[in-house]
Every structure is written in structure tokens, then in C-alpha cells.
Short mmCIF file of all heavy atoms in Angstrom, two decimals:
data_model
loop_
_atom_site.label_atom_id
_atom_site.label_comp_id
_atom_site.label_asym_id
_atom_site.label_seq_id
_atom_site.Cartn_x
_atom_site.Cartn_y
_atom_site.Cartn_z
N ALA A 1 -1.12 -5.21 10.89
CA ALA A 1 -2.56 -5.41 10.77
C ALA A 1 -3.35 -4.29 11.44
O ALA A 1 -4.41 -3.90 10.95
CB ALA A 1 -2.96 -6.76 11.36
N ALA A 2 -2.82 -3.74 12.54
CA ALA A 2 -3.52 -2.65 13.22
C ALA A 2 -3.59 -1.40 12.34
O ALA A 2 -4.60 -0.69 12.32
CB ALA A 2 -2.83 -2.32 14.54
N ARG A 3 -2.51 -1.13 11.59
CA ARG A 3 -2.48 0.02 10.68
C ARG A 3 -3.51 -0.16 9.56
O ARG A 3 -4.26 0.75 9.23
CB ARG A 3 -1.07 0.18 10.12
CG ARG A 3 -0.91 1.38 9.21
CD ARG A 3 0.56 1.56 8.85
NE ARG A 3 0.76 2.61 7.90
CZ ARG A 3 0.82 3.91 8.19
NH1 ARG A 3 0.71 4.28 9.44
NH2 ARG A 3 0.98 4.81 7.26
N LYS A 4 -3.55 -1.34 8.99
CA LYS A 4 -4.50 -1.63 7.91
C LYS A 4 -5.94 -1.55 8.42
O LYS A 4 -6.82 -1.01 7.75
CB LYS A 4 -4.21 -3.02 7.31
CG LYS A 4 -5.05 -3.37 6.13
CD LYS A 4 -4.76 -2.49 4.93
CE LYS A 4 -5.57 -2.95 3.72
NZ LYS A 4 -5.51 -2.01 2.62
N ALA A 5 -6.18 -2.07 9.62
CA ALA A 5 -7.52 -2.03 10.20
C ALA A 5 -7.98 -0.59 10.44
O ALA A 5 -9.13 -0.23 10.16
CB ALA A 5 -7.57 -2.82 11.50
N GLU A 6 -7.07 0.26 10.94
CA GLU A 6 -7.41 1.67 11.16
C GLU A 6 -7.68 2.37 9.83
O GLU A 6 -8.60 3.17 9.71
CB GLU A 6 -6.28 2.37 11.93
CG GLU A 6 -6.56 3.81 12.24
CD GLU A 6 -7.64 4.06 13.28
OE1 GLU A 6 -8.31 3.12 13.73
OE2 GLU A 6 -7.83 5.23 13.66
N ALA A 7 -6.89 2.04 8.82
CA ALA A 7 -7.10 2.63 7.50
C ALA A 7 -8.49 2.27 6.96
O ALA A 7 -9.21 3.12 6.44
CB ALA A 7 -6.01 2.15 6.54
N GLU A 8 -8.87 1.02 7.12
CA GLU A 8 -10.18 0.55 6.64
C GLU A 8 -11.32 1.16 7.46
O GLU A 8 -12.42 1.37 6.95
CB GLU A 8 -10.26 -0.98 6.68
CG GLU A 8 -9.30 -1.67 5.72
CD GLU A 8 -9.57 -1.34 4.25
OE1 GLU A 8 -10.72 -1.09 3.88
OE2 GLU A 8 -8.59 -1.33 3.48
N ARG A 9 -11.06 1.48 8.71
CA ARG A 9 -12.08 2.11 9.56
C ARG A 9 -12.31 3.57 9.17
O ARG A 9 -13.43 4.07 9.22
CB ARG A 9 -11.65 2.02 11.03
CG ARG A 9 -12.68 2.52 12.02
CD ARG A 9 -12.20 2.39 13.44
NE ARG A 9 -11.24 3.41 13.79
CZ ARG A 9 -11.56 4.67 14.16
NH1 ARG A 9 -12.83 5.01 14.22
NH2 ARG A 9 -10.63 5.54 14.47
N LEU A 10 -11.24 4.26 8.76
CA LEU A 10 -11.34 5.68 8.42
C LEU A 10 -11.84 5.91 7.00
O LEU A 10 -12.46 6.94 6.72
CB LEU A 10 -9.97 6.36 8.59
CG LEU A 10 -9.36 6.33 9.99
CD1 LEU A 10 -8.04 7.06 9.99
CD2 LEU A 10 -10.31 6.90 11.01
N ALA A 11 -11.60 4.99 6.10
CA ALA A 11 -11.95 5.17 4.69
C ALA A 11 -13.42 5.52 4.46
O ALA A 11 -13.71 6.46 3.72
CB ALA A 11 -11.56 3.93 3.89
N PRO A 12 -14.37 4.83 5.10
CA PRO A 12 -15.78 5.18 4.86
C PRO A 12 -16.13 6.61 5.31
O PRO A 12 -17.01 7.24 4.72
CB PRO A 12 -16.57 4.16 5.69
CG PRO A 12 -15.62 3.06 5.96
CD PRO A 12 -14.26 3.65 5.93
N LEU A 13 -15.46 7.10 6.34
CA LEU A 13 -15.72 8.47 6.79
C LEU A 13 -15.40 9.46 5.67
O LEU A 13 -16.17 10.38 5.39
CB LEU A 13 -14.88 8.80 8.03
CG LEU A 13 -15.11 7.91 9.25
CD1 LEU A 13 -14.10 8.25 10.34
CD2 LEU A 13 -16.53 8.06 9.76
N TYR A 14 -14.24 9.27 5.04
CA TYR A 14 -13.83 10.16 3.96
C TYR A 14 -14.74 9.99 2.74
O TYR A 14 -15.17 10.96 2.13
CB TYR A 14 -12.37 9.89 3.58
CG TYR A 14 -11.85 10.86 2.55
CD1 TYR A 14 -11.45 12.14 2.93
CD2 TYR A 14 -11.76 10.50 1.22
CE1 TYR A 14 -10.97 13.03 1.98
CE2 TYR A 14 -11.29 11.39 0.28
CZ TYR A 14 -10.89 12.66 0.66
OH TYR A 14 -10.43 13.56 -0.28
N ARG A 15 -15.05 8.75 2.42
CA ARG A 15 -15.92 8.49 1.26
C ARG A 15 -17.32 9.08 1.45
O ARG A 15 -17.98 9.45 0.49
CB ARG A 15 -16.01 6.99 1.00
CG ARG A 15 -14.74 6.42 0.44
CD ARG A 15 -14.91 4.96 0.04
NE ARG A 15 -13.66 4.39 -0.39
CZ ARG A 15 -13.03 3.38 0.22
NH1 ARG A 15 -13.57 2.81 1.28
NH2 ARG A 15 -11.88 2.93 -0.23
N ASP A 16 -17.76 9.19 2.72
CA ASP A 16 -19.07 9.76 3.01
C ASP A 16 -19.05 11.28 3.09
O ASP A 16 -20.07 11.89 3.41
CB ASP A 16 -19.62 9.17 4.31
CG ASP A 16 -20.03 7.72 4.16
OD1 ASP A 16 -20.20 7.25 3.02
OD2 ASP A 16 -20.18 7.05 5.19
N GLY A 17 -17.88 11.89 2.83
CA GLY A 17 -17.83 13.34 2.73
C GLY A 17 -17.03 14.08 3.80
O GLY A 17 -16.86 15.29 3.71
N ALA A 18 -16.55 13.37 4.81
CA ALA A 18 -15.74 14.04 5.84
C ALA A 18 -14.42 14.50 5.23
O ALA A 18 -13.88 13.86 4.33
CB ALA A 18 -15.48 13.10 7.00
N LYS A 19 -13.90 15.61 5.73
CA LYS A 19 -12.62 16.14 5.28
C LYS A 19 -11.50 15.45 6.05
O LYS A 19 -11.70 14.98 7.17
CB LYS A 19 -12.55 17.64 5.52
CG LYS A 19 -13.60 18.40 4.75
CD LYS A 19 -13.58 19.86 5.13
CE LYS A 19 -14.72 20.58 4.42
NZ LYS A 19 -14.88 21.95 4.87
N ILE A 20 -10.32 15.41 5.43
CA ILE A 20 -9.17 14.79 6.10
C ILE A 20 -8.93 15.46 7.44
O ILE A 20 -8.70 14.80 8.45
CB ILE A 20 -7.91 14.85 5.21
CG1 ILE A 20 -8.11 14.02 3.95
CG2 ILE A 20 -6.69 14.34 5.99
CD1 ILE A 20 -6.96 14.11 2.95
N ARG A 21 -9.00 16.78 7.49
CA ARG A 21 -8.77 17.51 8.74
C ARG A 21 -9.81 17.14 9.80
O ARG A 21 -9.49 17.05 10.99
CB ARG A 21 -8.77 19.01 8.51
CG ARG A 21 -7.55 19.47 7.75
CD ARG A 21 -7.24 20.92 7.93
NE ARG A 21 -6.20 21.34 7.02
CZ ARG A 21 -4.91 21.13 7.21
NH1 ARG A 21 -4.51 20.51 8.28
NH2 ARG A 21 -4.02 21.53 6.34
N GLU A 22 -11.04 16.93 9.40
CA GLU A 22 -12.10 16.54 10.35
C GLU A 22 -11.81 15.15 10.93
O GLU A 22 -11.97 14.92 12.13
CB GLU A 22 -13.46 16.56 9.67
CG GLU A 22 -13.92 17.93 9.26
CD GLU A 22 -15.17 17.92 8.38
OE1 GLU A 22 -15.52 16.88 7.80
OE2 GLU A 22 -15.77 19.00 8.26
N ILE A 23 -11.41 14.23 10.05
CA ILE A 23 -11.10 12.87 10.51
C ILE A 23 -9.89 12.90 11.44
O ILE A 23 -9.88 12.25 12.48
CB ILE A 23 -10.86 11.93 9.30
CG1 ILE A 23 -12.13 11.83 8.45
CG2 ILE A 23 -10.41 10.55 9.77
CD1 ILE A 23 -11.93 11.15 7.12
N ALA A 24 -8.88 13.68 11.06
CA ALA A 24 -7.67 13.79 11.89
C ALA A 24 -8.02 14.32 13.28
O ALA A 24 -7.56 13.78 14.29
CB ALA A 24 -6.66 14.69 11.20
N ALA A 25 -8.83 15.36 13.33
CA ALA A 25 -9.21 15.95 14.62
C ALA A 25 -10.02 14.96 15.46
O ALA A 25 -9.82 14.85 16.67
CB ALA A 25 -10.01 17.23 14.40
N ALA A 26 -10.93 14.24 14.82
CA ALA A 26 -11.78 13.29 15.55
C ALA A 26 -11.00 12.10 16.09
O ALA A 26 -11.38 11.50 17.10
CB ALA A 26 -12.91 12.81 14.64
N THR A 27 -9.90 11.75 15.42
CA THR A 27 -9.13 10.57 15.83
C THR A 27 -7.86 10.92 16.59
O THR A 27 -7.17 10.01 17.06
CB THR A 27 -8.76 9.71 14.60
OG1 THR A 27 -7.97 10.51 13.70
CG2 THR A 27 -9.98 9.18 13.90
N GLY A 28 -7.55 12.22 16.70
CA GLY A 28 -6.33 12.63 17.38
C GLY A 28 -5.07 12.38 16.59
O GLY A 28 -3.98 12.30 17.15
N ARG A 29 -5.19 12.24 15.30
CA ARG A 29 -4.03 11.99 14.43
C ARG A 29 -3.68 13.25 13.66
O ARG A 29 -4.48 14.17 13.55
CB ARG A 29 -4.33 10.86 13.44
CG ARG A 29 -4.67 9.57 14.12
CD ARG A 29 -4.61 8.38 13.20
NE ARG A 29 -4.88 7.17 13.96
CZ ARG A 29 -4.00 6.57 14.74
NH1 ARG A 29 -2.80 7.05 14.84
NH2 ARG A 29 -4.33 5.50 15.42
N SER A 30 -2.50 13.27 13.09
CA SER A 30 -2.08 14.40 12.28
C SER A 30 -2.76 14.33 10.91
O SER A 30 -3.24 13.26 10.50
CB SER A 30 -0.56 14.40 12.08
OG SER A 30 -0.18 13.31 11.25
N TYR A 31 -2.76 15.45 10.22
CA TYR A 31 -3.31 15.49 8.85
C TYR A 31 -2.55 14.50 7.98
O TYR A 31 -3.15 13.70 7.26
CB TYR A 31 -3.19 16.91 8.29
CG TYR A 31 -3.62 17.01 6.85
CD1 TYR A 31 -4.93 17.32 6.52
CD2 TYR A 31 -2.72 16.81 5.82
CE1 TYR A 31 -5.34 17.41 5.20
CE2 TYR A 31 -3.11 16.89 4.49
CZ TYR A 31 -4.41 17.20 4.19
OH TYR A 31 -4.81 17.28 2.88
N GLY A 32 -1.22 14.57 8.03
CA GLY A 32 -0.39 13.70 7.19
C GLY A 32 -0.58 12.23 7.50
O GLY A 32 -0.63 11.39 6.60
N GLY A 33 -0.68 11.90 8.78
CA GLY A 33 -0.90 10.51 9.16
C GLY A 33 -2.25 9.99 8.72
O GLY A 33 -2.38 8.86 8.26
N THR A 34 -3.25 10.85 8.83
CA THR A 34 -4.60 10.47 8.39
C THR A 34 -4.63 10.29 6.89
O THR A 34 -5.21 9.32 6.37
CB THR A 34 -5.62 11.54 8.82
OG1 THR A 34 -5.57 11.67 10.25
CG2 THR A 34 -7.03 11.18 8.39
N ARG A 35 -3.99 11.20 6.17
CA ARG A 35 -3.94 11.10 4.70
C ARG A 35 -3.25 9.81 4.28
O ARG A 35 -3.71 9.11 3.38
CB ARG A 35 -3.20 12.31 4.14
CG ARG A 35 -3.15 12.37 2.64
CD ARG A 35 -2.39 13.63 2.18
NE ARG A 35 -2.40 13.76 0.74
CZ ARG A 35 -1.55 13.13 -0.07
NH1 ARG A 35 -0.63 12.33 0.43
NH2 ARG A 35 -1.65 13.30 -1.37
N ALA A 36 -2.14 9.48 4.95
CA ALA A 36 -1.42 8.26 4.64
C ALA A 36 -2.29 7.02 4.87
O ALA A 36 -2.27 6.08 4.06
CB ALA A 36 -0.14 8.18 5.47
N LEU A 37 -3.05 7.01 5.95
CA LEU A 37 -3.95 5.88 6.21
C LEU A 37 -5.03 5.77 5.14
O LEU A 37 -5.37 4.66 4.72
CB LEU A 37 -4.59 6.02 7.59
CG LEU A 37 -3.66 5.77 8.78
CD1 LEU A 37 -4.35 6.15 10.09
CD2 LEU A 37 -3.19 4.32 8.82
N LEU A 38 -5.57 6.89 4.70
CA LEU A 38 -6.59 6.86 3.65
C LEU A 38 -6.01 6.31 2.35
O LEU A 38 -6.65 5.51 1.66
CB LEU A 38 -7.18 8.25 3.44
CG LEU A 38 -8.01 8.79 4.60
CD1 LEU A 38 -8.38 10.25 4.36
CD2 LEU A 38 -9.26 7.95 4.83
N LEU A 39 -4.80 6.72 2.02
CA LEU A 39 -4.15 6.21 0.81
C LEU A 39 -3.87 4.72 0.93
O LEU A 39 -4.04 3.97 -0.04
CB LEU A 39 -2.86 6.98 0.53
CG LEU A 39 -3.05 8.43 0.10
CD1 LEU A 39 -1.71 9.15 0.00
CD2 LEU A 39 -3.82 8.54 -1.21
N LEU A 40 -3.48 4.27 2.12
CA LEU A 40 -3.26 2.85 2.36
C LEU A 40 -4.54 2.05 2.11
O LEU A 40 -4.50 0.94 1.59
CB LEU A 40 -2.77 2.63 3.80
CG LEU A 40 -2.57 1.19 4.24
CD1 LEU A 40 -1.45 0.54 3.46
CD2 LEU A 40 -2.29 1.13 5.73
N ALA A 41 -5.68 2.65 2.46
CA ALA A 41 -6.97 1.98 2.26
C ALA A 41 -7.45 2.03 0.81
O ALA A 41 -8.50 1.50 0.48
CB ALA A 41 -8.02 2.61 3.17
#
């Protein structure tokens, strides 16, 4: 549930125009991990 909740939290950032790399840097996650969370959402 924590993974799904994080994915749902990050999705609006990307939909509003943020780049995957920007989201990754802001959250301290890797590019690949951030991308995977976005796909999960």
C-alpha cells in the first residue's frame, strides 16, 4: 500500500508537466524507480 500511495502522490506532478528526472531529484529516488512508480499509477 505504501508503494501505491507514493505512486499516486507522484502522478499529478508528472501530469502537471514535471519531468521524471525532476521528480526523482525532489524525492531522492532514482530515475528508474520514479518511472516505475509513475507506470504503477
Side-chain angles (χ1 to χ4, degrees):
R3 183 172 175 81
K4 185 66 176 170
E6 182 70 354
E8 295 298 329
R9 186 180 76 81
L10 300 181
L13 301 173
Y14 185 79
R15 288 187 185 117
D16 289 343
K19 298 174 184 172
I20 296 175
R21 289 201 189 280
E22 293 171 343
I23 297 169
T27 59
R29 300 195 177 282
S30 69
Y31 175 92
T34 301
R35 183 180 184 277
L37 288 171
L38 292 172
L39 291 174
L40 177 65

